[in-house]
Amino acid sequence: MTYAIETRNLGKLYGKTKALDGVSVALQENKIYGLLGRNGAGKSTLLKLLTGQIFPTTGEIKLFGETPYENANALSKVCIVRETGTFLKDMKARDALKVASTYYPNWDQELADRLVKAFKLDLKKNYKSLSLGMKSQLGIIVGLASRAPLTIFDEPYIGLDAPGRQLFYDLLLEEYGEKPRTIILSTHLIDEVANLFEEVIILEQGSVKLIDETDKIKEKAFFISGSQGEVERRVKGKQVIYRDTLGKTAVAGVYDRLTQEELGSMEAAGLEVGPMPLQKLFIYLTAERGEGDV
Amino acid sequence: MTYAIETRNLGKLYGKTKALDGVSVALQENKIYGLLGRNGAGKSTLLKLLTGQIFPTTGEIKLFGETPYENANALSKVCIVRETGTFLKDMKARDALKVASTYYPNWDQELADRLVKAFKLDLKKNYKSLSLGMKSQLGIIVGLASRAPLTIFDEPYIGLDAPGRQLFYDLLLEEYGEKPRTIILSTHLIDEVANLFEEVIILEQGSVKLIDETDKIKEKAFFISGSQGEVERRVKGKQVIYRDTLGKTAVAGVYDRLTQEELGSMEAAGLEVGPMPLQKLFIYLTAERGEGDV
C-alpha cells in the first residue's frame, strides 16, 4: 500500500533542542487528518519536513512513496497553506492566484473563481493591503483550488469570524466530497472542526502522543459524574485524565476502553456518563506539563 | 440605577461610512457581556467610543454615570485589553506590568504575580520579542490584575492554544467569582465562551441586532428535525433562520418563542428538538448578507 505520507523515526534538532523526535506515522490517501498540539509541540517542524522545506536530523520521509527532497514530482503533489501566507507583498491578489495556477498541476480555475465569489474577495487589492481575514481567504482559495493530492492547512483561519470559518469548513467538505484527497488540518480550534477529522494526530513535545481514528477516540473519552465514592470506585484502574469535585459530587474524565457492562453498571449505580469533546480530551492530555496551578 | 455603560443613539461616521448607527444600550454593573459581530460590524468602533479613544458623531455615552471624554476619573475605571497589545515595543514585560500597576487604581499586584506564574511568562523579555501567545498572556494578566470596574477583552486569545485559552477562561471566572466587575468579552470563538456570558450583544452593520440574557436566548434557539412535511407544518409562523434537507428529512433552525405545548406536540409527532448552540445562532443571524452561495 502506498501512503500519502510515511515517516520513520523522524527527528529534527535545532541546536540542542529536539523539535521533533522519533516520529513514525503513516497517513492514508484521501483522508482528512487533524494535526493537534500545543504551541511548541513540533507541528510546524513536522509540516516543514513533510513539504521539503527543511532537512531531518534523523529518519526519513516518503511522500506518495517518494522522498520529497529535490524531487519536483513529489513536491508538485503538495500544497501547504500557512497562517502567515507565502505571497509577495506587492503582488495583487489576482496575480497571486495566477502564480498558484501555474504551479499546481491539478489547479481548478473554475473552482478558484467560484471560491473568490463565495468569499467576495477583491482581487484588485495588493496582498499587503488585505486584512488578516482576507489573507486567510486567499490562502484557503489556493489550497482548495490547487486540488493537490496532499493539501495542508496550517491554522488557515486567522482573522476570520465565525461565519467566515463556517464557510471554509463547508467548502472544504463539499470539495472533499466531490474529489477526495489527503488533507491535513492543523488547528487550535479543535471543537469546531472535530467533525471534519477522520483521524487525529496529537503531538506533544516533539513526539506523537496519540494517533487514531476520531471515532475510536470518541469511543474511549467520557465524563463520569455522581457521588464521589461511587465515581472513584468505578474508574479505578482506568486512565483518568481529569478530576473535579464539588462538595460530594465528583467528575472524572476517563480516556480508556469501557465495556458495555461497565457503562451499564455505572448508569445503574446512578452515575451520569457523557461524551468528552475532543478539545477537552486534548486539553487534559497535553496541559499537564503546561502552565501549572494558581 | 447607575449602569456601567449607557449609550443613547450612539453613532460614528468615517467619511460617508456609518461604522456605528443608533446604538442605545445599557450594561449593568458586575455582569459578563459577550460582544459579538462579524468583521466590520462595528465592535472595535464601539469599544473605542466607550473608552474615550474617539468621539461619537451622534449620541452620547455614560460610563458609570459620567461622560468619558477628558474625564480621568471615569477613564481610570476602565481597562481595555486589545488583540494587538498597547505596550511599548522596547519595554520589558516586567516594566509593562509596572506601568500598568501605577495606572490602575485597583491594581492587585499579588494577583498579577500569581497570573505570571500560572502562565509561566518570562518577564525579562522585551515586549517585541514575545510570541503572539505571550503577548496575549501579558494582556490578560493586565486586564485581570487591573481589577478595573469595567474590564474589556477584545479578542485577547490570538496565538494561544486550546489549553492556554482554557486557562484564561478559568482564571477569568475565578477572579470574577471573587470580585465581580463588569466584563465585556469581544470574541470570534463563540461556542468556547458562550457559558461565560450572562448577556450577549450582537452587532450587525453598525447596529444592535440582538441584546438579551444568554439564558433567554437559549430558550428560543432550537434545531427541529424530522420528516419534511411535519417540520414545515410545525415551524409555520415561526422565525426560521436555517433550513436544510437531506432526502425527505428536514432540519429547521428556529429562533422564536416555543410554548411547552408546541414543544410537546412536536416531540409527539416524532420530531427531534434540540438546542441550537450560540455560535450557530450567530452564524445564521448574521451570515445572510454574508459571502453568498457557491
Side-chain angles (χ1 to χ4, degrees):
Chain A
M1 181 176 188
T2 305
Y3 289 101
I5 294 169
E6 218 181 338
T7 74
R8 217 166 41 81
N9 193 31
L10 193 62
K12 178 73 187 178
L13 279 172
Y14 288 115
K16 286 180 181 169
T17 308
K18 279 185 185 170
L20 216 62
D21 189 25
V23 169
S24 300
V25 292
L27 275 60
Q28 292 170 42
E29 288 189 60
N30 303 335
K31 273 196 168 185
I32 302 182
Y33 287 85
L35 178 62
L36 311 180
R38 299 212 54 176
N39 288 332
K43 298 189 301 298
S44 296
T45 302
L46 177 60
L47 294 180
K48 278 185 194 156
L49 285 165
L50 294 181
T51 51
Q53 296 173 64
I54 55 174
F55 284 94
T57 313
T58 62
E60 56 178 52
I61 307 168
K62 297 264 192 241
L63 273 185
F64 300 100
E66 300 178 42
T67 174
Y69 293 98
E70 297 180 10
N71 181 340
N73 181 48
L75 288 179
S76 75
K77 294 179 183 164
V78 184
C79 175
I80 181 162
V81 176
R82 342 180 104 276
E83 174 196 357
T84 41
T86 40
F87 303 107
L88 293 172
K89 283 186 171 40
D90 286 317
M91 196 177 248
K92 281 193 200 312
R94 184 182 306 285
D95 297 326
L97 285 183
K98 222 169 265 172
V99 170
S101 76
T102 63
Y103 186 79
Y104 297 105
N106 296 347
W107 182 264
D108 185 328
Q109 186 59 44
E110 192 262 333
L111 175 60
D113 294 342
R114 266 170 58 217
L115 296 170
V116 168
K117 229 174 117 187
F119 281 120
K120 298 194 167 168
L121 189 63
D122 182 358
L123 293 182
K124 292 191 293 291
K125 284 198 174 182
N126 274 334
Y127 183 74
K128 68 178 171 195
S129 68
L130 296 178
S131 71
L132 271 179
M134 293 178 210
K135 285 176 184 164
S136 292
Q137 290 170 341
L138 187 63
I140 288 166
I141 292 169
V142 168
L144 291 177
S146 78
R147 288 228 159 115
L150 172 61
T151 306
I152 302 173
F153 294 98
D154 187 7
E155 292 195 59
Y157 46 72
I158 309 290
L160 290 181
D161 54 23
R165 299 197 304 275
Q166 186 64 51
L167 182 62
F168 165 50
Y169 307 142
D170 292 345
L171 293 169
L172 177 74
L173 273 188
E174 188 184 309
E175 162 62 14
Y176 176 76
E178 271 177 41
K179 304 240 172 175
R181 50 176 136 164
T182 308
I183 292 171
I184 301 178
L185 190 50
S186 172
T187 181
H188 286 309
L189 308 182
I190 302 170
D191 273 345
E192 270 192 10
V193 286
N195 289 334
L196 267 61
F197 304 150
E198 290 166 270
E199 290 213 19
V200 171
I201 306 161
I202 297 181
L203 289 183
E204 193 189 33
Q205 300 192 325
S207 299
V208 176
K209 175 94 179 176
L210 180 74
I211 175 166
D212 209 343
E213 292 171 24
T214 313
D215 287 343
K216 290 202 179 140
I217 293 173
K218 281 185 185 165
E219 281 170 19
K220 291 166 66 183
F222 297 99
F223 281 120
I224 297 161
S225 60
S227 86
Q228 191 166 8
E230 198 65 42
V231 168
E232 284 308 323
R233 202 156 29 244
R234 300 287 171 169
V235 302
K236 209 169 175 183
K238 301 292 178 189
Q239 187 184 194
V240 178
I241 57 177
Y242 174 78
R243 275 197 164 86
D244 197 13
T245 53
L246 197 72
K248 290 183 172 172
T249 301
V251 181
V254 170
Y255 185 63
D256 216 328
R257 176 74 53 205
L258 293 178
T259 64
Q260 284 305 320
E261 288 93 61
E262 286 173 317
L263 288 169
S265 80
M266 284 183 191
E267 280 170 2
L271 298 183
E272 271 200 50
V273 181
M276 182 191 294
L278 185 61
Q279 181 159 316
K280 292 281 183 207
L281 173 70
F282 171 75
I283 289 173
Y284 303 147
L285 281 181
T286 62
E288 319 153 41
R289 269 161 286 194
E291 300 85 350
D293 288 328
V294 255
Chain B
M1 182 175 186
T2 304
Y3 290 101
I5 294 169
E6 218 180 338
T7 74
R8 218 166 40 83
N9 192 32
L10 194 62
K12 179 71 186 178
L13 278 172
Y14 289 114
K16 286 178 180 169
T17 308
K18 278 185 184 170
L20 216 63
D21 189 26
V23 169
S24 299
V25 292
L27 274 62
Q28 293 170 42
E29 288 189 59
N30 302 336
K31 273 196 170 185
I32 302 181
Y33 287 85
L35 178 62
L36 311 181
R38 299 212 54 177
N39 288 333
K43 298 189 302 296
S44 297
T45 302
L46 177 61
L47 294 180
K48 278 186 195 159
L49 285 164
L50 294 180
T51 50
Q53 296 173 64
I54 54 174
F55 284 94
T57 313
T58 62
E60 57 178 52
I61 306 167
K62 297 264 193 242
L63 273 185
F64 300 100
E66 299 181 43
T67 174
Y69 294 98
E70 297 180 10
N71 182 339
N73 181 49
L75 287 180
S76 75
K77 292 179 183 165
V78 183
C79 174
I80 181 162
V81 176
R82 342 180 102 277
E83 174 197 354
T84 41
T86 39
F87 303 107
L88 293 172
K89 282 187 171 38
D90 287 315
M91 195 176 249
K92 281 193 200 312
R94 185 182 305 287
D95 296 326
L97 284 182
K98 223 170 264 172
V99 171
S101 76
T102 61
Y103 186 80
Y104 297 104
N106 296 347
W107 181 264
D108 185 329
Q109 186 60 42
E110 192 261 333
L111 175 60
D113 294 341
R114 266 171 57 218
L115 295 171
V116 168
K117 228 174 117 186
F119 280 119
K120 299 194 168 167
L121 189 63
D122 181 358
L123 293 181
K124 292 191 294 290
K125 285 198 171 181
N126 273 336
Y127 183 74
K128 68 179 170 192
S129 67
L130 296 178
S131 72
L132 271 178
M134 293 178 209
K135 284 177 185 164
S136 291
Q137 290 170 340
L138 186 64
I140 289 166
I141 293 169
V142 168
L144 291 176
S146 76
R147 288 226 157 117
L150 172 61
T151 305
I152 302 173
F153 293 98
D154 185 8
E155 292 193 59
Y157 46 72
I158 307 291
L160 290 181
D161 54 23
R165 299 196 305 274
Q166 185 63 51
L167 182 62
F168 165 50
Y169 306 142
D170 291 346
L171 293 168
L172 177 74
L173 273 188
E174 189 184 308
E175 162 62 15
Y176 177 76
E178 272 177 40
K179 304 238 172 177
R181 51 175 135 164
T182 309
I183 292 171
I184 301 178
L185 190 50
S186 172
T187 181
H188 286 308
L189 308 182
I190 301 170
D191 272 346
E192 272 193 9
V193 287
N195 289 334
L196 266 61
F197 304 149
E198 291 166 271
E199 290 212 20
V200 171
I201 306 161
I202 297 181
L203 290 184
E204 193 189 32
Q205 301 191 323
S207 299
V208 175
K209 174 95 180 175
L210 180 76
I211 175 167
D212 209 343
E213 291 171 24
T214 313
D215 287 343
K216 290 202 178 140
I217 293 173
K218 282 185 184 165
E219 281 171 19
K220 290 167 66 184
F222 297 100
F223 282 119
I224 297 162
S225 60
S227 84
Q228 192 167 5
E230 199 64 43
V231 168
E232 283 308 322
R233 202 157 28 245
R234 302 289 171 166
V235 302
K236 209 170 175 182
K238 301 293 179 188
Q239 186 183 195
V240 179
I241 57 177
Y242 173 78
R243 273 196 166 86
D244 196 12
T245 54
L246 196 72
K248 290 182 171 171
T249 302
V251 181
V254 169
Y255 185 63
D256 215 327
R257 177 73 54 204
L258 293 177
T259 64
Q260 283 305 319
E261 288 94 58
E262 286 173 317
L263 288 169
S265 79
M266 284 182 193
E267 281 170 1
L271 299 183
E272 271 200 50
V273 181
M276 182 191 295
L278 186 60
Q279 181 159 316
K280 293 279 182 206
L281 173 70
F282 171 75
I283 288 174
Y284 303 148
L285 281 181
T286 62
E288 319 153 41
R289 269 161 287 194
E291 300 87 347
D293 287 330
V294 255

